[in-house]
Amino acid sequence: MAMSPERGFIGVPAYEAVPDFCGRCHIGVKEDYLLSAHGQAIAEGGANCVTCHGNHVVVKAGPEIINPEDCSQCHGYGQAGEIKAAIVKTDEMLASLAENLGFMGKKGIAVKSMESETFALRNDFRRLFHSVNVEKISNETADFQQRGMAIQQKIDAVQTELDQRKLIGGVVTGLLVLASLICFLIRKTYQQEEDGSS
Amino acid sequence: MLERLYHFLEVRLGIRDILEQNLTKYLLPNNVNIWYTLGAVLITLFVTQFITGILLLVYYVPNPAEAFQSVERIMNEVPYGWLIRYLHAVGSNVIVIALLLHMLSVLFMGSYKKPRELTWVSGFILLNLSFALCLTGYLLPWSQLSFWATTVATDAAGAVPVIGDALVRFLRGGAMVGDATLGRFFALHVMVLPAMLAGLVGFHLFCVRRIGISRPPFGEDYRPAEVKGYFHHEEHPGGIPFFPNYAIKDMAVIFFFLAGLVYLVFFAPGLFIPPSAFEPADPFTTPEHIKPEWYFLWAYQTLKIFPSEFLGLAVQGLVMTGLALLPFIDRGSERRPGRRPLFIACYILGILLFVGISVWGHYS
Ligand code: HEM
């Protein structure tokens, strides 16, 4: 039933039609893919979307996908490591940006605009490595690094302010405790007076 | 200049006499202890709430479409807005702590007994007004936490037989927590409840001052004060002057509480403000672990312990009514804890039960 065409089931797309299928939603990625060596070679059996991402058990996009075991089906054993090295550092940086922002959001800092900036940046970067072109990735990585750093700087500025607040808070707390102690001491002198007079 | 103003007022109002009667010549029992400072602490904390509350009101927008954003602005854009908001939100928790301590000390020393029944009853109403302020204030930021905590809390009223559903609708102003709920909670939180609270604090203090502060029931020479059939202000000849001798102790404990408040505001606001308080309300997504604030956990859990919610509600009502009317139930004149073993046993058991059920509610 679920697989009846009347209900919208369109069956298994042909190998070469897969990018069109996925690209209905992942539009930008499709563009980059089609221009890449993988996309250009699809007629000769070049990797399509599901070769790396799986079909039903979709593998979440991440650098883990690039590994010698999978890639060496077509490429030399060393090539996966090469391309992975080119992206891993930047990808990790973007991931840690997202993590830091999530952490701050939980403390009531308005991070929404920084979060969408990071999200867009990460998307762009992942589009980039669909080109599977080591040279192109290396050339553009610096730019991504820089844009990531700009966001990181904003995060750092917020963090510095939070630290400063803590410093001030610590001083104020200390002063209040001191005031409390002084009052207790004064109270003590009154107490001695009271005890003396009774 | 100041002296002339003073003289002007002195001639017309006799302020020196008022000040003397209430400060230097106002004598407290010579064995007065530190627990008697909690009333002054509460006054200070409530004044802080009033001030920070008014400041929040400058930027807060009481409508579901803008409430969350306006609070986010207060936290992130308004200069020192975060400080004001945290002082107010964390302050409400500190107030509850102080309220419970004040009530527990009054219970332990039996100072609710005749002739201080009205002081007790007004105090107990103040406690409940404070809870109502906490509950209504919780909704205002219109966060996930606000929305769902209020949904759960108002839902409990549905367990009342016959009128339950109508009651829930009345509390919410509709079938679900929404615009109307925010409107009425806002009005209650910023106008009705504070006005009632201020008036009742006045009455409470009047009672305390009029009948005279009680003598702590400790020490060898303590004897229960004889309660007469007519009005009698309890004097403490040979006691210590309120000002400066005791006022300085008030100050010491006030500073101590303020230090605690400031510490929590700067170093552990998350203790009272969980992450779901920073997500906008979403009526279509129920968060996983929605729990009321710590001081409502006991009520939340009792509703779950009993086989029916109505039974739980009835037990809660009974306990609260019993506490409210305690001075009319527990009528003996003995106030020394050592000579009231039954009461003290119930007292300790009650505290353990409160803590136990709350912890259970937290982890359940
Ligand atoms: C808004 C909250 C409250 C404020 C501002 C307040 C303030 C005060 C103050 C200033 C005193 C005199 C000094 C002292 O004993 O601490 C006092 C006494 C007293 N309060 Fe409260 N109180 C509050 C809530 C309560 C509550 C919740 C209860 C009990 C349910 C209570 C019961 C009493 C009693 C019985 C006394 C008389 C103590 C005595 O004479 O020994 N009060 N309160």
Side-chain angles (χ1 to χ4, degrees), chain B residues 35-40 42-43 46 99 102-103 106 109 111-112 116 119-128 130 197 201 204-205 208 211-215 335:
Chain B
W35 298 100
Y36 286 66
T37 60
L38 284 169
L42 280 166
I43 293 175
F46 270 109
L99 274 169
H102 182 51
M103 184 175 84
V106 163
M109 297 190 279
S111 26
Y112 55 87
R116 296 190 177 77
T119 319
W120 168 267
V121 172
S122 59
F124 195 74
I125 300 174
L126 281 171
L127 177 72
N128 287 289
S130 309
L197 187 99
V201 168
H204 190 69
L205 297 183
V208 170
I211 202 71
I213 202 89
S214 71
R215 184 179 170 79
R335 290 178 47 211

